Amino acid sequence: MAESPDSRSLVSASSQLNLMEIEAIDDKEFDIPQVDTPPTLESILNEPEEEDEPFILEDTCLLNTENIDAHSCETSSLASSDSGDRTHLKRRRKAVETNATVHGSVLRRNLLKGISAQIVSAADKVDAGLPTAITVSNVIAVGTSHGLALVFGKDQNQALRLCLGTTATGAEYGAVSALSINHDCTRLLCGFAKGQITMWDLANGKLLRTITDAHPPGTAILHVKFTDHPALAVCNDSGGSVFELSFRRVMGMRTCESRCLFSGSKGEVCCVEPLHAGPELKDHPITHYSLLAMASLTKILLIGLKPSLKVWMTFPYGKTDPASVPLLAWQFVAVQKTINPVLAFCRGDTIHFLLVKKDESGTIHVIKQRQLQLNCDLISLSWINPRTLVLMDSTEKLRVVDRPSQEELETVDMAELQLVYNSSHFKSLATGGNVSQALALVGEKTCYQSVCSYAGQIMYLGTKSVHIMTLRNWRERVDHLLKQEKFMEALSLAWSFHEGTGKAVLGLFADPAKRKGVVADKMVEILLQYVDRSLKKCPEQGKIQVMEQHFQDMVPVTVDYCLLLQRTDLLFNQIYPRLVENSVARGVFLESLEPYILSERIGCLTAPVMRDLLSYFQENGMMDSVEGCLVHMDITNLDIQQVVQMCWDNQLYDAMIYVFNSGMNDYISPMEDLVSINSAKTAELVAVHFADQVQPIITSLQDDCLAFQFLKCLLNPSSRESLSPQTVLKLGPDLHELLVDLLCQFSPQQVIAFLKTSQDYRLEEAIQITAKHKLHEATAYLLEKKGDVQGAFEVLLQTLKGKLHKLALEGSETDKPDGEGEETGDEVPSLLQRVEEALHDIIALCQRSSHGLNQQQREALWFPLLEAMMSPQKLLKGANTKHTSEALKELTMKVLNSMSSFIAPPAIIQRILQDPVYGKGKLAEIQGLILGMLETFNYEQTLLETTTNLLNSDLHWSLSHLRKAVSRGLHPRQDHCNICLQQYKRRQESEEEIIIFSCGHLYHCQCLQRKEVGVLSERQYSWSCYKCTSNQGTRPADRPSAESSRSCSTSLAQTKVMSTPHGIVAEAHGRKMLTEATLDAQQTQAWDHFRTLYRGPSRLAVLTELTHSHGSERAGLSNPVHPGTGSIYHSENVQLKLSPPPLVEE
């Protein structure tokens, strides 16, 4: 059986890169333009110190982070040994945004008790002094303020292996200010506060080298670090210079050669970090260059020491707090299926990332990555794995940040550690404090030598203790929450591991299937613990609401995660039996199932749970919930008879139909009963759930009345209000025709309304149905819709004739002796009303159809109708039929008035005279009809003549006034142009056009053109007075708007005066010339102007008066009109309406 990942060593698991993680990294994060040719070291050294230009290669895919002004954070020293004043510290900007995802405790914090106790003991017993520096490899080395280096083992005992140096040497060299162990853990370099460097053999504790001339005297060693090259190291002193140390052994003598890599006179470097590769990456192509990152007070430099010194990149910080500490950290990261080093660096609150890679051609590229914005001032930066950073801010709080998502996972307060600061070394107090003010300010918060990371572990050095931080594996993180009884948080964290969305995950299989299997088992264990704990902690006494709330907090969470894990067997076979023991828990569980059933997340219940669910809902009167659940479940494991009886007893029709159809595949049995109970509800159920079974359901309904009620609710558009708008029924025309047939039988008055609203029936079949049931109006409507106007007319005409014949018979019955006609006397008014309704329908049909017919076709419609109305009148004789006869004559006149719009009056009169009814006997029989037609003709003729005269008079009056206005002479106010102020005849020998406006202002045409006061329309200019428009505040550029305002200064006529040379006839001088014989644009403008000013007597009032009188056309002209009423010419859309002709009396 394969070894469980939990059994692996944390150190080994953290030190190795898992290549399976390559797929999980977002490629877009690294899709960034490449760096151009790097600058030389000489060009960097010659740059001015005040340079603050941004980096030229900005990542276009950088994450946008809000920049906000945060409150200041001025703090004092947190009980640390070497801290200075921190009143200069500030907090700025917004923190990394985090979501509500649970991460639990990510870091495991352990106190190295053995080492801590021995540090305190050494200070007391051998006067070792306080700890000042720490470094970690296979051993742990701690430097002290009295010049000693204590080497401890990393085993469980943490025993002191070596004590290097003496207090006497410490008095000469000062405190240990820097430590470094080489890659094979055989050598230890110690830097001192007074500038010396010593090398020790860690195998036997022998002093190998004492270096005193590697850098300028009088400066403290700030950093000393081995590179991966066994004979190469670098050091950084308090003067800001960086030196390369090459170790050699010649003729048995150990020597050290120093080379200056960066001079402090060009900018002070305060942090150096060589790239270290583990044994598994020793053949990586980048490691051969011995990369070294250096952080000065203004920029980051990346150089290669091998094969020759070369600057690869420089990156300025930009504007930062001068008290912020520059930080550097290397880490190999898997990117796009390749592993390359990434340099993280920051100064202040923004962390930048640089990816170094070598392409196939051998070219080295340094690529800027997405930056990370925080809200705190950082003093320490460390990688704990390729995806996770551990940061410490100036308030001594650790922040664990996931780099790909930029999410902050955890915050740990480290104030009680009493972190050791390196301020005294940066101020070089041991050598007299000869450092720059800028370096001393940065040194207030430096703790470079107090934090050391190695193989997934981070050591923090305090004044009396050493703490180690490692990542917890996934089980530890979950169990840590369980110990605090945070079951919901533990389940959420475990689910993130299950789905592969967890952050800083350690100890899980890379294979998704194996990962999900292991985590699912753990989640089942948590769920059972959660249920047992809830049952155990349930209050035994108290209000029922308190007990219900207790379980309502637990049950939905349990159901959710069982469904997410697809473990309904766990929910119903293990969890539910435990909850049944508590009646409150049982009820809460059963009620909580309803939303999951309705959303179809649970489709099948076990028989005991289903039985308990129905019983519980029925006992508590929750029958609506029963119905909702039944129609969303598989009911094959239910007692069908019990469920059907329950549905009938409680009127759960939805559930009953669902049980019959889904449980017994029976669509027939419940239909008739349901339709008889509530046809609308039944139609809604069928439309929603069984739209494809409508035809069999209709066939099963033997009673035509039930079928009619069902189809009416299902198909009639006016009955679909209760159906959902999303319910769309696509049924064949045969069902709609069946509904038409049933409507003809049971509700004839609704047939036409249905035919007008529905479009799903076939015309021929519908015509046959209505004809069979003798619904003539519906048949006529369908024939007209079909296009057979003549057929529709014949149907309506036969209907009218039948009603007229019946009316004539009833009218003659009223002429019988008393007693025999009493019964029929009351029926005549209702028959007249029916005749009038039928006549209205047929007249409307004729009027609709006549517009598209010729004269002969119109006569074929109207004359049979007229004959049908006149023929019954010969049957009505006697004194008792006078009322009916009068009514028929009135209806006949209605026909004549309607047809006169389509048929010529002579043709109508000729047809009346040819009619057998009126062709014999005296003229008096048709006198009424003819006189009525003539009266109407005379009335309309008089009205037309009067209207024509009024309009002609109005037009003549308006045109005569316009003629007078545009033809009168204009007198200028001055004899000079109002623009150039010169005489209108500037030169006697030249011809010039003069324009005079009705306001009296005179201009040269050329002057007006220069002022741009003319508007070109229809190939001629329309001018405006420049002086008048200027006084009204109208700019020359706004001439079109001024033109539309019709101001009073606008000219009523354009007068052009031609100045002629001497010798021309004197009459020609000053002669007025009209440019157009017809109305030009200026005259039209004047006409509109006079229209708005004119307020004369209204001819429309005269015309209205004439419509009520029968006098001559001049009779109304003398009638007074209302003052202020405009003439008809003021209305753009005058409409004349004819009043009905007067009634003709016999």
Side-chain angles (χ1 to χ4, degrees), residues 124-173:
D124 293 338
K125 294 181 180 180
V126 300
D127 194 24
L130 296 175
T132 58
I134 188 171
T135 187
V136 183
S137 181
N138 293 336
V139 295
I140 301 173
V142 179
T144 69
S145 60
H146 290 175
L148 300 181
L150 308 177
V151 181
F152 302 92
K154 287 182 65 177
D155 54 8
Q156 188 174 0
N157 296 326
Q158 303 171 15
L160 178 63
R161 294 185 179 182
L162 298 171
C163 180
L164 306 177
T166 63
T167 55
T169 306
E172 180 184 356
Y173 293 170

Side-chain angles (χ1 to χ4, degrees), residues 40 49 225 688 944 1040 1114:
T40 62
E49 190 67 25
K225 294 185 182 280
V688 174
L944 178 60
R1114 303 293 182 183

Side-chain angles (χ1 to χ4, degrees), residues 67-228:
N67 295 331
I68 62 172
D69 293 331
H71 59 279
S72 61
C73 179
E74 300 180 353
T75 60
S76 59
S77 172
L78 297 176
S80 299
S81 61
D82 228 355
S83 300
D85 181 19
R86 300 195 184 182
T87 58
H88 57 278
L89 299 186
K90 300 285 183 182
R91 278 189 183 181
R92 302 179 306 277
R93 301 181 184 174
K94 190 178 180 180
V96 175
E97 220 176 7
T98 58
N99 53 27
T101 305
V102 176
H103 301 293
S105 178
V106 179
L107 289 180
R108 185 198 304 111
R109 177 180 179 181
N110 292 325
L111 171 66
L112 299 182
K113 296 180 180 179
I115 296 178
S116 301
Q118 293 179 74
I119 289 175
V120 175
S121 176
D124 293 338
K125 294 181 180 180
V126 300
D127 194 24
L130 296 175
T132 58
I134 188 171
T135 187
V136 183
S137 181
N138 293 336
V139 295
I140 301 173
V142 179
T144 69
S145 60
H146 290 175
L148 300 181
L150 308 177
V151 181
F152 302 92
K154 287 182 65 177
D155 54 8
Q156 188 174 0
N157 296 326
Q158 303 171 15
L160 178 63
R161 294 185 179 182
L162 298 171
C163 180
L164 306 177
T166 63
T167 55
T169 306
E172 180 184 356
Y173 293 170
V176 175
S177 59
L179 293 172
S180 179
I181 300 175
N182 63 355
H183 70 283
D184 57 0
C185 199
T186 59
R187 299 286 185 269
L188 172 68
L189 281 176
C190 297
F192 292 90
K194 294 185 179 180
Q196 295 83 358
I197 300 174
T198 59
M199 178 184 286
W200 301 86
D201 188 339
L202 290 178
N204 52 25
K206 180 180 177 181
L207 178 63
L208 302 179
R209 289 181 176 87
T210 299
I211 306 168
T212 59
D213 56 353
H215 64 100
T219 57
I221 297 295
L222 301 183
H223 300 276
V224 60
K225 294 185 182 280
F226 276 108
T227 67
D228 281 350

Side-chain angles (χ1 to χ4, degrees), residues 443-588:
E444 292 289 347
K445 298 181 293 182
T446 53
C447 57
Y448 294 119
Q449 306 303 323
S450 304
V451 183
C452 183
S453 62
Y454 178 78
Q457 301 171 325
I458 304 177
M459 299 282 187
Y460 293 91
L461 178 64
T463 56
K464 296 180 181 180
S465 60
V466 177
H467 291 247
I468 182 171
M469 293 290 182
T470 55
L471 286 177
R472 298 179 186 269
N473 67 25
W474 72 275
R475 284 187 184 275
E476 286 183 85
R477 291 167 64 178
V478 174
D479 292 338
H480 186 266
L481 292 172
L482 292 177
K483 289 178 182 179
Q484 305 173 53
E485 294 190 343
K486 296 181 179 179
F487 291 94
M488 294 175 63
E489 290 83 354
L491 286 168
S492 177
L493 179 61
W495 180 250
S496 69
F497 295 150
H498 183 276
E499 294 299 297
T501 59
K503 306 294 189 299
V505 183
L506 187 66
L508 269 179
F509 291 105
D511 180 47
K514 292 182 179 180
R515 180 190 71 234
K516 290 185 177 182
V518 172
V519 177
D521 293 341
K522 182 65 177 178
M523 293 185 69
V524 171
E525 177 186 336
I526 298 172
L527 288 170
L528 295 177
Q529 290 182 24
Y530 192 16
V531 173
D532 293 339
R533 179 254 186 191
S534 298
L535 290 171
K536 185 177 180 180
K537 292 290 182 85
C538 176
E540 297 180 358
Q541 297 178 350
K543 294 184 178 180
I544 189 66
Q545 292 85 353
V546 177
M547 300 176 67
E548 287 180 349
Q549 185 61 44
H550 174 77
F551 288 108
Q552 285 171 358
D553 294 337
M554 177 272 295
V555 170
V557 176
T558 305
V559 176
D560 270 328
Y561 281 107
C562 287
L563 295 179
L564 288 173
L565 293 172
Q566 299 180 1
R567 291 292 305 272
T568 54
D569 59 324
L570 172 69
L571 182 64
F572 298 133
N573 298 334
Q574 297 186 50
I575 294 178
Y576 179 65
R578 301 187 187 197
L579 297 177
V580 169
E581 300 173 2
N582 188 302
S583 59
V584 178
R586 171 180 174 272
V588 172

Side-chain angles (χ1 to χ4, degrees), residues 821-835:
E822 292 179 359
E823 297 181 359
T824 60
D826 297 335
E827 297 181 6
V828 173
S830 61
L831 286 174
L832 276 173
Q833 184 177 1
R834 275 180 262 165
V835 168

Side-chain angles (χ1 to χ4, degrees), residues 82 89 111 160 275 378 380 402 432 494 501 530 572 616 744 841 938 1039 1089:
D82 228 355
L89 299 186
L111 171 66
L160 178 63
L275 173 62
L378 299 181
S380 174
D402 179 69
T501 59
Y530 192 16
F572 298 133
Y616 177 81
C744 293
D841 293 339
N938 291 331
R1039 290 297 171 254
H1089 175 65

